């Protein structure tokens, strides 16, 4: 995703969270839907619906962005938000070649907020208290919160820089190993990658393991077989930036709390426990920023498999018949436990959240292409019949009211209150496409296509959507009057 930033006009790439392994938002020519997804369709080696964040950037050969009406119309309703066409690297004829690469980088907070240090904050609070006179004829000056000895101690030893306590310099390392080669009839590429990214917020990290195999076999002059498989394992551990139901609770948010806690408060009290925010200044009840980051157990595990295979027949000159089948699968297990040292965990005597999801997408594409050249005229006619089946299952459990924090998410039965939810969704799409490309002297180009999509999620009398398109182009650089223009 980051490789796309600033590379193509009309394409906006944003990372809204910055957390390790965080999803990136991609918008091609803005937003097209109010309530639906605005993410573009990602097609990897002909397989649709692949999660772009599951790709190892080192495996990518090229990326093409479709954003114009005629180009995206061939994907029907699924191309409404634009299309990313990604081609991965393939093996080439020759002696086996082994490649290894390693990279190491560091991430850190670009700039801290400029806040008062401990003695400045103490003097400011005392001055504020002194200005709060009682109403009436008798003027009473309230007792300062901080003594002169405390302020002197702050000046000598310094206070707590909460931004330094919750942020860190975080290393990012990646390894990539691949082997490729082939003969006249068989070409192959096998690669593996490992990414280890620590987050600048303490207790946050992300790991990804990838394994990819691309094989192409020329069985004979008129029959070709290809197979692409990618297996991805991801493991993330990132404390929520907020600990409320939607992760926006400011009183339990480490990122928000760090600049709001006074530098006069230590991380731990005299007994070694996390310090509490005093109620005589600032906002009472706010959680300790360090506890909000360190005392949350998070484990997100995801296993992905992307498989695509094809057979291509060439029975006649200019005629090819390609039959392909593919599958995208994703299994995820997510665990989170907020113990009683956190804001939400304290309110609910420990809060556990678990979820398990299984997603599958199967695709069958049957493509017939005929190309004919007659003098300066060139015709290419394409017909496609395509089917897709998508299923999504999920179960989730939330529990609170634990007597102890020791077992966290592994003792849901020990909670006093439990909630469960689940869903099972299925969608089937049946599509047909016809497209004609015409070229005159390689100067004047005309393309017309017509696609029909039928979806199971629509009503019985409105199952189909139709997507016609037409485009024309003039390749002016091929004209004689421009032949001598560099």
């Amino acid at each position: 995703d980051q490789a796309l930033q600033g590379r193509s006009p009309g394409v906006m790439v944003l990372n809204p969270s910055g957390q390790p392994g965080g999803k990136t938002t991609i918008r091609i020519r803005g937003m097209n839907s109010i309530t639906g997804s605005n993410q573009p369709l990602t097609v990897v080696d002909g397989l649709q619906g692949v999660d772009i964040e599951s790709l190892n950037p080192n495996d990518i050969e090229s990326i093409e962005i479709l954003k114009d009406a005629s180009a995206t119309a061939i994907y029907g309703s699924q191309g409404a938000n634009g299309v990313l066409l990604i081609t991965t690297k393939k093996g080439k004829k020759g002696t086996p070649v082994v490649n290894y690469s390693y990279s190491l980088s560091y991430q850190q907070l670009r700039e801290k907020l400029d806040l008062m240090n401990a003695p400045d904050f103490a003097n400011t609070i005392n001055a504020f208290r002194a200005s709060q006179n009682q109403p009436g004829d008798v003027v009473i000056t309230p007792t300062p919160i901080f003594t002169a000895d405390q302020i002197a101690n702050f000046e000598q030893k310094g206070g707590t820089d909460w931004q330094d306590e919750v942020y860190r310099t975080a290393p990012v390392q990646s390894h990539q190993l691949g082997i490729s080669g082939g003969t006249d009839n068989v070409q192959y590429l096998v690669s593996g990658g490992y990414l280890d990214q620590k987050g600048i917020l303490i207790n946050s990290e992300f790991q990804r393991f990838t394994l990819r195999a691309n094989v192409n076999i020329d069985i004979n002059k008129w029959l070709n077989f290809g197979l692409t498989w990618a297996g991805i394992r991801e493991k993330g551990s990132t404390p929520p930036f907020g600990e409320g139901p939607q992760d926006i609770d400011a009183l339990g948010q480490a990122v928000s709390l760090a600049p709001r806690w006074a530098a006069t408060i230590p991380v731990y009290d005299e007994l070694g426990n996390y310090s509490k925010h005093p109620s005589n200044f600032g906002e009472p009840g706010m959680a300790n920023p360090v506890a909000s980051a360190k005392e949350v157990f998070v484990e997100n595990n995801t296993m992905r498999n992307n498989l695509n295979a094809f057979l291509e027949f060439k029975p006649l000159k200019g005629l090819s018949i390609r039959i392909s089948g593919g599958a995208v699968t994703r299994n995820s297990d997510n665990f989170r436990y907020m113990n009683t040292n956190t804001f939400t965990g304290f309110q609910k005597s420990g809060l556990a959240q678990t979820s398990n999801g299984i997603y599958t997408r199967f695709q069958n594409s049957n493509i017939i292409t005929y190309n004919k050249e007659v003098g300066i005229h060139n015709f290419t006619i394409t017909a496609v019949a395509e089917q897709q089946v998508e299923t999504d299952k999920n179960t989730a459990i939330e529990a609170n009211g634990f007597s102890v924090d020791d077992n966290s998410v592994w003792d849901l039965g020990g909670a006093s209150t439990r909630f469960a939810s689940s869903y099972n969704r299925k969608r089937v799409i049946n599509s047909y496409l016809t497209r004609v490309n015409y070229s005159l002297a390689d100067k004047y180009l005309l393309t017309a296509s017509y696609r029909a999509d039928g979806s199971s999620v629509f009503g019985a009398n409105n199952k189909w959507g139709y997507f016609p398109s037409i485009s024309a182009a003039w390749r002016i650089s091929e004209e004689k009057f421009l032949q001598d223009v560099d």
Side-chain angles (χ1 to χ4, degrees):
D1 299 1
Q2 294 172 355
L4 290 173
Q5 289 181 318
R7 299 296 182 91
S8 179
V11 179
M12 181 177 66
V13 182
L14 297 174
N15 192 334
S17 71
Q19 68 186 37
K23 292 182 178 294
T24 299
T25 299
I26 301 176
R27 296 288 179 265
I28 297 178
R29 290 194 169 171
M31 297 176 60
N32 301 300
S33 175
I34 298 176
T35 59
S37 172
N38 284 283
Q39 286 288 95
L41 173 68
T42 302
V43 183
V44 179
D45 296 329
L47 185 62
Q48 301 177 25
V50 177
D51 290 325
I52 189 173
E53 63 266 18
S54 69
L55 290 172
N56 185 338
N58 295 287
D59 290 333
I60 297 176
E61 180 71 28
S62 65
I63 300 178
E64 184 177 357
I65 300 174
L66 305 184
K67 53 189 175 181
D68 297 318
S70 177
T72 60
I74 63 174
Y75 289 96
S77 56
Q78 298 178 94
N81 299 319
V83 182
L84 297 178
L85 294 181
I86 298 177
T87 302
T88 60
K89 296 177 181 178
K90 303 294 190 296
K92 298 179 181 179
K93 176 185 174 182
T95 305
V97 177
V98 178
N99 289 302
Y100 171 75
S101 62
Y102 170 73
S103 69
L104 175 65
S105 59
Y106 290 90
Q107 299 177 136
Q108 63 182 21
L109 195 66
R110 181 184 179 189
E111 184 178 354
K112 296 195 302 182
L113 294 177
D114 188 14
L115 306 174
M116 285 188 288
N117 57 27
D120 288 342
F121 182 80
N123 287 322
T124 300
I125 290 295
N126 283 349
F128 174 75
R129 289 276 290 180
S131 68
Q132 304 302 297
N133 295 325
Q134 301 294 326
D137 297 330
V138 180
V139 177
I140 301 175
T141 301
T143 303
I145 292 180
F146 296 99
T147 65
D149 290 340
Q150 287 177 313
I151 296 176
N153 185 59
F154 290 145
E155 291 175 343
Q156 179 181 2
K157 297 181 179 180
T160 303
D161 189 324
W162 289 100
Q163 294 178 92
D164 284 346
E165 294 293 337
V166 300
Y167 293 115
R168 63 184 178 182
T169 298
V172 181
Q173 61 173 323
S174 66
H175 300 262
Q176 176 77 12
L177 178 63
I179 180 171
S180 63
T183 63
D184 290 336
N185 297 326
V186 179
Q187 298 85 42
Y188 63 88
L189 179 145
V190 179
S191 67
Y194 170 67
L195 171 70
D196 183 15
Q197 179 183 9
K198 307 299 183 183
I200 63 172
L201 182 68
I202 58 176
N203 196 31
S204 65
E205 62 179 347
F206 175 78
Q207 294 176 319
R208 181 181 64 205
F209 303 85
T210 61
L211 183 63
R212 172 174 292 276
N214 291 346
V215 179
N216 191 82
I217 303 175
D218 295 321
I219 300 175
N220 51 45
K221 293 182 178 180
W222 54 270
L223 181 59
N224 178 258
F225 170 77
L227 175 69
T228 299
W229 171 78
I232 305 99
R233 182 182 183 273
E234 299 169 349
K235 183 178 181 180
S237 175
T238 301
F241 284 5
E243 296 168 8
Q246 302 300 323
D247 288 351
I248 57 174
D249 189 347
L251 294 181
Q253 190 179 33
V255 173
S256 173
L257 288 171
R260 296 163 65 189
W261 267 55
T264 55
I265 308 174
V267 178
Y268 304 98
D269 60 20
E270 295 83 357
L271 301 177
N273 301 316
Y274 287 105
S275 296
K276 301 291 191 297
H277 197 280
S279 58
N280 51 9
F281 64 87
E283 300 173 70
M286 292 193 301
N288 187 300
V290 174
S292 296
K294 293 181 65 175
E295 299 300 320
V296 179
F297 167 75
V298 178
E299 184 177 303
N300 298 320
N301 300 301
T302 304
M303 285 291 298
R304 306 174 190 266
N305 279 280
N306 303 328
L307 176 66
N308 195 27
F310 72 87
L311 275 173
E312 186 172 17
F313 302 87
K314 297 180 179 179
L316 301 172
K317 182 180 179 181
L319 177 65
S320 80
I321 302 172
R322 185 184 179 102
I323 301 172
S324 66
V328 176
T329 67
R330 180 181 69 244
N331 292 6
S332 60
D333 292 297
N334 303 307
F335 306 94
R336 179 193 294 181
Y337 185 78
M338 286 167 274
N339 66 30
T340 51
N341 287 309
T342 67
F343 178 77
T344 303
F346 177 77
Q347 287 188 319
K348 298 192 174 184
S349 299
L351 175 64
Q353 297 169 321
T354 69
S355 65
N356 174 266
I358 300 175
Y359 172 86
T360 61
R361 181 181 180 130
F362 299 99
Q363 174 186 326
N364 165 242
S365 299
N366 307 285
I367 306 172
I368 299 177
T369 303
Y370 181 70
N371 179 264
K372 182 67 174 179
E373 188 171 351
V374 181
I376 62 173
H377 305 278
N378 185 281
F379 298 88
T380 301
I381 302 173
T382 304
V384 180
E386 188 173 80
Q387 299 81 38
Q388 299 180 45
V389 180
E390 188 178 46
T391 62
D392 189 8
K393 302 176 182 179
N394 184 275
T395 59
I397 300 175
E398 181 175 304
N400 61 71
F402 293 87
S403 57
V404 294
D405 285 323
D406 298 346
N407 297 322
S408 67
V409 295
W410 312 117
D411 184 25
L412 297 181
S416 61
T417 306
R418 290 178 293 276
F419 306 92
S421 62
S422 62
Y423 63 79
N424 184 5
R425 300 168 182 161
K426 182 178 181 180
R427 184 177 67 155
V428 179
I429 299 177
N430 199 17
S431 305
Y432 300 95
L433 167 70
T434 301
R435 182 175 59 181
V436 177
N437 290 330
Y438 170 69
S439 171
L440 176 62
D442 204 28
K443 300 179 185 178
Y444 314 107
L445 312 174
L446 180 67
T447 299
S449 68
Y450 189 83
R451 180 173 176 125
D453 279 342
S455 176
S456 62
V457 301
F458 294 122
N461 298 322
N462 191 31
K463 288 287 187 187
W464 291 87
Y466 303 96
F467 304 87
S469 73
I470 188 168
S471 65
W474 176 21
R475 189 170 288 146
I476 193 172
S477 59
E478 296 298 316
E479 296 292 351
K480 291 183 179 180
F481 59 82
L482 282 180
Q483 292 302 303
D484 296 329
V485 177
D486 294 331

